Amino acid sequence: MKARSVHIVTLGCPKNRVDSEIMLGSLLEAGWDLSREPEQADVIVINTCGFIEDAKEESIQAILEAAQLKEKGRAKKLVVAGCLSQRYPEELARELPEVDHFLGSGAPVEILRVLEEDAPRQLYPDPDFIQSAATPRRNSLPSYTAYLKIAEGCDNRCAFCIIPALRGKQRSRPIDDIVREAEHLVAEGAREINLVAQDLTAYGHDLPGRPRLHELLHALGQVEGLRWIRLHYAYPRHFPDALIEAIRDIPTVVKYLDMPLQHASDRLLRAMRRGGTSRSLRELLARLRAEIPGIVLRTSLIVGLPGETEEDFEILCDFVREQRFDHLGVFRYSREEGTAAAEMDEQVPDEVKWERWERLMQLQAELRKEQQQAYVGRELEVLVEGPHEETEHLLVGRHAGQAPEIDGQVILNDLSDEDVAPGDLVRVRIDEAYEYDLVGAVVGVVSKAPRRVPERIPLPIFSR
Ligand code: SF4
């Protein structure tokens, strides 16, 4: 019997990408093929995001496009999974008759069951699933880099956020299980591992013995062949000295931290139920910079939360001017039913949200120019990624201060006769700087990739 093929579309964050990789791993292990083109697939899976309005609209759009393909094309089944499915089970089931199966956010491993057995149309196990190193998974990034989900769910209750309702309580994976998966990813060619969770800093507080994130980092620091360990989605509370020391002292932990702060006005931080103050945020950022010279900081901020005044917004702008983040994501507040903020008075008009979003993005663009210029003349360690998307005559990579997919690249315009390949670590002298990218010349090879890096598995990814 001809192998059946699946096409998976992933929306949202890297944690959702990992769930798509679990669905892909489960199907490939069972003899299915991955179809690069949805038109050619027997089954189309849309792994949705349901976090904010824009993401919900993109998810619906992707489902409707797949439904049209099913009507016209070859696809026999359409499966909708992920957070939008978890959030609106009855509405989606009623309004999207074209969809054959709906999976909840806790059901990526159930994909085989719904496609091979006589499974119910809707499958919503309690979102208490947490993968392990034994869970089938196929990395969808080039094998020299991978995401590693160390925990799922969240015990915080930020007033604007629906995620705890969709992903459940915090569930951390034991350290030895995470190390096993890291070793597996390294054996598959990974040189960089990007740690993700909803709240990375809360890692382990739900486990017996309450192991902490710094203990996990020390264990991952022992993994042979792993060169870069990156931290995403840290929460600025409960940030122990031991964690700062671990980031500083473990050679393979890159001096990079993604830590959403969301706002800097004390009034707004209280309204957001973030549990911190502008003073505690400043003190933490100062500690990080003092203890880890040259640390690269990425953060996310929200404008337009209910009750945000022009004065609050000015406080936020002053904070951004003062802190000079290396990378900044700005979101317009999205009123999400089921969250505390949705019930708040003084909802901010959309045009005011847009106007503040544009002003903050503009401010960051100006600050960023200076920061980028500061790289000119420096030598950086760069992970080579492959040909430039516009011309195969140029190779690109990322320095340790650039996370995959979100922080810009280093364009290698002079290889100095070095035989450089994807996955290699090289030293690059930076000669030019642009808004997001840097340009430079290879001045030496630090370490060759252990193996030729196979081509990227094309899991279409939309939005972040
Ligand atoms: S930490 Fe806050 S914003 Fe992040 S997932 Fe948890 S509740 Fe949402």
Side-chain angles (χ1 to χ4, degrees):
M1 186 176 77
K2 185 179 170 315
R4 287 149 300 168
S5 64
V6 63
H7 181 82
I8 302 179
V9 174
T10 302
L11 294 113
C13 66
K15 291 150 276 182
N16 214 30
R17 176 196 274 268
V18 173
D19 290 349
S20 288
E21 294 172 349
I22 290 171
M23 290 192 266
L24 179 59
S26 306
L27 292 171
L28 293 178
E29 213 173 69
W32 285 63
D33 284 341
L34 173 70
S35 171
R36 296 166 183 277
E37 305 306 327
E39 299 80 7
Q40 313 302 324
D42 297 307
V43 172
I44 300 175
V45 177
I46 309 293
N47 191 13
T48 62
C49 176
F51 184 40
I52 55 175
E53 199 53 39
D54 291 356
K56 293 190 284 186
E57 284 167 14
E58 267 168 356
S59 293
I60 294 291
Q61 189 54 37
I63 297 169
L64 295 178
E65 283 168 16
Q68 276 179 348
L69 279 175
K70 184 187 163 197
E71 229 166 80
K72 274 194 299 179
R74 157 139 172 234
K76 301 182 192 56
K77 280 199 173 180
L78 174 54
V79 177
V80 170
C83 288
L84 188 77
S85 176
Q86 182 73 31
R87 190 168 178 188
Y88 304 109
E90 301 318 319
E91 297 87 338
L92 293 180
R94 192 176 52 246
E95 288 156 26
L96 294 169
E98 315 91 324
V99 177
D100 301 279
H101 292 283
F102 291 96
L103 292 182
S105 59
V109 283
E110 300 289 349
I111 186 74
L112 205 54
R113 191 151 80 82
V114 295
L115 292 181
E116 296 204 343
E117 298 165 19
D118 185 14
R121 184 167 182 236
Q122 298 175 280
L123 209 57
Y124 289 92
D126 289 346
D128 57 7
F129 163 75
I130 181 68
Q131 69 187 90
S132 77
T135 305
R137 176 193 170 196
R138 173 66 67 87
N139 178 16
S140 62
L141 292 175
S143 59
Y144 53 71
T145 187
Y147 291 108
L148 183 37
K149 195 190 281 188
I150 67 171
E152 183 54 281
C154 185
D155 293 344
N156 299 311
R157 288 294 175 273
C158 303
F160 52 83
C161 183
I162 193 69
I163 291 175
L166 305 181
R167 293 276 169 171
K169 290 184 68 54
Q170 164 113 11
R171 290 107 57 205
S172 304
R173 298 170 61 186
I175 290 182
D176 59 355
D177 178 61
I178 296 170
V179 169
R180 257 198 306 283
E181 184 170 1
E183 288 166 344
H184 174 69
L185 290 167
V186 168
E188 294 269 310
R191 320 217 63 205
E192 171 189 43
I193 283 181
N194 307 281
L195 304 182
V196 295
Q198 307 296 350
D199 174 355
L200 208 76
T201 330
Y203 171 76
H205 78 175
D206 56 304
L207 289 174
R210 297 172 67 90
R212 303 315 312 269
L213 182 56
H214 60 270
E215 293 168 70
L216 171 62
L217 294 181
H218 283 289
L220 288 171
Q222 306 300 312
V223 174
E224 212 41 52
L226 181 52
R227 303 296 299 240
W228 287 2
I229 302 166
R230 189 182 304 279
L231 281 59
H232 285 278
Y233 306 105
Y235 194 95
R237 196 179 49 203
H238 311 317
F239 217 98
D241 288 346
L243 180 53
I244 295 181
E245 289 152 15
I247 298 172
R248 180 193 64 204
D249 300 339
I250 301 171
T252 50
V253 174
V254 293
K255 311 320 168 197
Y256 175 103
L257 184 66
D258 166 32
M259 182 167 63
L261 300 176
Q262 310 301 7
H263 215 286
S265 145
D266 286 330
R267 222 171 54 77
L268 268 287
L269 288 168
R270 261 194 314 281
M272 285 178 166
R273 304 180 184 178
R274 293 286 292 174
T277 64
S278 58
R279 182 167 167 193
S280 66
L281 295 183
R282 283 186 168 86
E283 285 171 358
L284 173 57
L285 293 165
R287 275 168 61 208
L288 286 162
R289 288 190 165 122
E291 293 291 329
I292 312 170
I295 188 170
V296 169
L297 293 171
R298 160 174 271 280
T299 196
S300 308
L301 302 171
I302 295 176
V303 296
L305 191 98
E308 185 187 59
T309 62
E310 183 57 24
E311 190 196 346
D312 294 314
F313 179 67
E314 282 304 331
I315 290 171
L316 184 61
C317 291
D318 291 346
F319 180 72
V320 167
R321 230 175 256 112
E322 170 200 306
Q323 292 296 330
R324 295 176 171 276
F325 294 102
D326 301 272
H327 308 287
L328 174 64
V330 182
F331 295 85
R332 294 175 305 283
Y333 167 69
S334 179
R335 188 176 190 176
E336 298 302 324
E337 83 283 351
T339 65
E343 307 311 317
M344 289 177 183
D345 299 335
E346 301 175 271
Q347 296 284 332
V348 175
D350 280 350
E351 59 276 14
V352 175
K353 289 179 195 171
W354 272 104
E355 188 255 343
R356 288 177 182 166
W357 181 83
E358 273 154 7
R359 282 163 61 192
L360 197 51
M361 291 296 281
Q362 186 52 44
L363 170 61
Q364 175 64 12
E366 285 150 24
L367 296 169
R368 198 188 156 81
K369 276 201 198 97
E370 292 164 32
Q371 275 146 303
Q372 288 284 91
Q373 281 309 318
Y375 280 106
V376 175
R378 287 179 55 187
E379 274 191 24
L380 301 173
E381 183 174 287
V382 168
L383 174 62
V384 179
E385 294 201 293
H388 191 282
E389 61 190 8
E390 282 156 28
T391 164
E392 62 189 29
H393 303 300
L394 280 176
L395 283 181
V396 295
R398 285 178 287 110
H399 66 82
Q402 295 172 315
E405 306 181 284
I406 51 177
D407 289 340
Q409 294 179 310
V410 178
I411 298 165
L412 308 177
N413 71 350
D414 176 357
L415 302 181
S416 311
D417 299 330
E418 294 283 359
D419 169 26
V420 171
D424 292 351
L425 285 166
V426 296
R427 289 210 66 72
V428 175
R429 184 197 60 247
I430 303 301
D431 300 326
E432 298 162 61
Y434 298 91
E435 189 175 0
Y436 287 100
D437 297 338
L438 302 170
V439 178
V442 173
V443 293
V445 173
V446 177
S447 142
K448 294 292 289 175
R451 49 181 287 174
R452 290 247 32 96
V453 173
E455 195 199 347
R456 166 178 248 172
I457 291 191
L459 278 190
I461 300 285
F462 299 94
S463 77
R464 293 271 135 257

